[in-house]
Amino acid sequence: MSSPELAERIAAAKREAEVLKDRIRLTKENLSDTTLKRASEKVAALPKISMKVRRTLKGHLAKIYAMHWAEDERHLVSASQDGKLIVWDAFSTNKIHAIPLRSSWVMTCAYAPSGNYVACGGLDNLCSIYNLKSKEGSVKVARELSAHTGYLSCCRFISDRQILTASGDMSCMLWDIDAGVKVMEFNDHTGDVMSLSLSPNKNIFVSGACDTTAKVWDIRSGRCVQTFMGHESDINAVQFFPNGDAFGTGSDDASCRLFDLRADRELNQYTHDNILCGITSIGFSYSGRLMFAGYDDFNCNVWDVLKCARVATLSGHDNRVSCLGVSSDGMALATGSWDSLLKIWA
């Protein structure tokens, strides 16, 4: 086949794809009988939320890039480019472990559901697993998982034996930790994958990437089952809604959005005229009524998920809020910042 013929066939296929996309969009719009805003009109609006800093965790010497709560509601792990992974007791503010890393260019960390392991990764392209309950007493590297060809942007444990990773090589991977091998690779993004979130049922996860899309993946089949568009810039953060039927996203386009898996569409946008900077991280309250979002302008905004209204602005950091998380019992919000501090709000 000659080059002009090939180019014409590619162009024809692209035109057909656009026609089909429009048809899908129209079908979706015809099925859309109401909006979340309209459906929640009779629900009472939330009052202004008052949250205060209850604890400040001091110990890192450089920018904090990531944090993750343990399932026990008390401990959390944080990663900083001072080359340390610190496990904290959020009640007492004591440091339980300070783990020196082989590479200080760390971008993500995760706490295993069992509380036995923590993981981290970054510009070294590795996912390093640390055993907190080793017999020697000191925390040792249990595994280094190597297969990604780009930086590690996010990792989340499924169990002590399995972990999911997202990378700047445009892929996500599922790993067998004991064997130290990649079990499955998830390829469909056309830009760096920046974040992932595991659904409560542990069978699906969502990823957000620099191609402006969020994709839902089925771990059982290894396939992308849904793609959500709408953002106009990189998606930096994704987080499943507590019931697993929806997820939130935060982007460099200065908006957070809520997408529903069952309706297969965007439900709400969370923006404000005076918010012009990107979102680094998001989380939901225990009930899902509140969405917390960390911003480049040093603030954390709290949104009413149903009404799209901002109900609080948490100002306590002196630099970008790089990460945040809500404890599993919903009683506390932790924010981490480039000012080297973690703050616990309630």
Side-chain angles (χ1 to χ4, degrees):
M1 191 185 293
S2 66
S3 295
E5 280 176 355
L6 191 61
E8 178 51 42
R9 284 184 68 175
I10 290 168
K14 280 183 178 168
R15 285 195 296 273
E16 189 182 352
E18 290 306 319
V19 170
L20 292 171
K21 276 184 194 167
D22 284 340
R23 209 179 290 169
I24 291 167
R25 189 172 48 77
L26 286 169
T27 308
K28 272 191 199 171
E29 281 170 10
N30 291 335
L31 291 169
S32 169
D33 53 351
T34 186
T35 64
L36 185 57
K37 237 175 183 171
R38 220 178 297 144
S40 63
E41 273 170 0
K42 293 194 171 93
V43 179
L46 289 174
K48 288 290 181 200
I49 305 285
S50 174
M51 291 174 70
K52 295 192 174 76
V53 177
R54 307 294 176 179
R55 300 281 189 278
T56 299
L57 308 183
K58 297 177 183 172
H60 280 299
L61 305 173
K63 294 173 180 175
I64 293 171
Y65 269 76
M67 64 77 50
H68 194 220
W69 282 96
E71 297 266 309
D72 66 4
E73 300 133 24
R74 178 165 189 152
H75 296 96
L76 61 93
V77 62
S78 61
S80 163
Q81 296 205 341
D82 61 7
K84 289 281 193 296
L85 207 58
I86 298 181
V87 177
W88 306 83
D89 180 330
F91 289 0
S92 67
T93 74
N94 289 343
K95 299 167 196 65
I96 310 298
H97 301 285
I99 305 163
L101 304 176
R102 293 182 187 178
S103 163
S104 64
W105 305 107
V106 63
M107 296 172 72
T108 181
C109 60
Y111 221 124
S114 65
N116 294 333
Y117 297 90
V118 291
C120 70
L123 296 183
D124 58 0
N125 301 3
L126 299 173
C127 180
S128 303
I129 315 280
Y130 293 87
N131 185 357
L132 301 180
K133 305 282 197 289
S134 62
K135 293 182 178 67
E136 292 93 62
S138 62
V139 177
K140 292 276 194 305
V141 178
R143 281 282 177 276
E144 284 188 334
L145 308 176
S146 168
H148 281 297
T149 56
Y151 60 87
L152 207 77
S153 57
C154 192
C155 60
R156 287 294 176 260
F157 283 94
I158 297 173
S159 64
D160 280 358
R161 307 189 123 184
Q162 288 186 306
I163 192 167
L164 282 165
T165 56
S167 168
D169 64 11
M170 307 195 287
S171 76
C172 300
M173 291 182 187
L174 173 68
W175 301 82
D176 179 323
I177 295 171
D178 292 341
V181 295
K182 172 182 74 176
V183 177
M184 202 176 276
E185 191 166 346
F186 304 90
N187 289 305
D188 206 25
H189 279 296
T190 55
D192 299 15
V193 186
M194 299 306 293
S195 178
L196 66 80
S197 176
L198 192 60
S199 116
N201 71 16
K202 307 274 205 272
N203 287 326
I204 60 172
F205 72 95
V206 61
S207 60
C210 294
D211 59 10
T212 75
T213 69
K215 291 181 183 285
V216 178
W217 308 83
D218 191 317
I219 293 170
R220 294 159 295 190
S221 67
R223 285 209 173 93
C224 172
V225 290
Q226 280 173 289
T227 299
F228 293 88
M229 298 174 186
H231 277 295
E232 289 155 27
S233 189
D234 304 1
I235 296 175
N236 296 320
V238 289
Q239 181 64 45
F240 257 103
F241 196 72
N243 70 359
D245 288 329
F247 65 89
T249 56
S251 165
D252 278 341
D253 65 11
S255 77
C256 296
R257 299 179 193 225
L258 183 70
F259 295 93
D260 191 277
L261 272 60
R262 297 161 301 178
D264 196 36
R265 62 183 296 122
E266 182 185 301
L267 295 184
N268 264 347
Q269 282 189 38
Y270 306 89
T271 58
H272 197 282
D273 291 342
N274 64 12
I275 297 177
L276 304 170
C277 63
I279 291 101
T280 61
S281 44
I282 62 163
F284 288 101
S285 64
Y286 187 79
S287 68
R289 183 67 193 269
L290 299 175
M291 179 196 277
F292 304 98
Y295 289 77
D296 290 340
D297 66 359
F298 313 173
N299 292 325
C300 173
N301 286 312
V302 186
W303 298 92
D304 180 337
V305 169
L306 290 178
K307 305 284 189 181
C308 288
R310 183 164 53 168
V311 291
T313 300
L314 309 180
S315 305
H317 287 291
D318 298 328
N319 208 326
R320 167 187 290 191
V321 176
S322 55
C323 52
L324 61 77
V326 179
S327 61
S328 56
D329 60 355
M331 296 301 285
L333 167 76
T335 55
S337 166
W338 282 12
D339 65 8
S340 82
L341 301 176
L342 289 146
K343 291 181 187 281
I344 313 293
W345 308 74

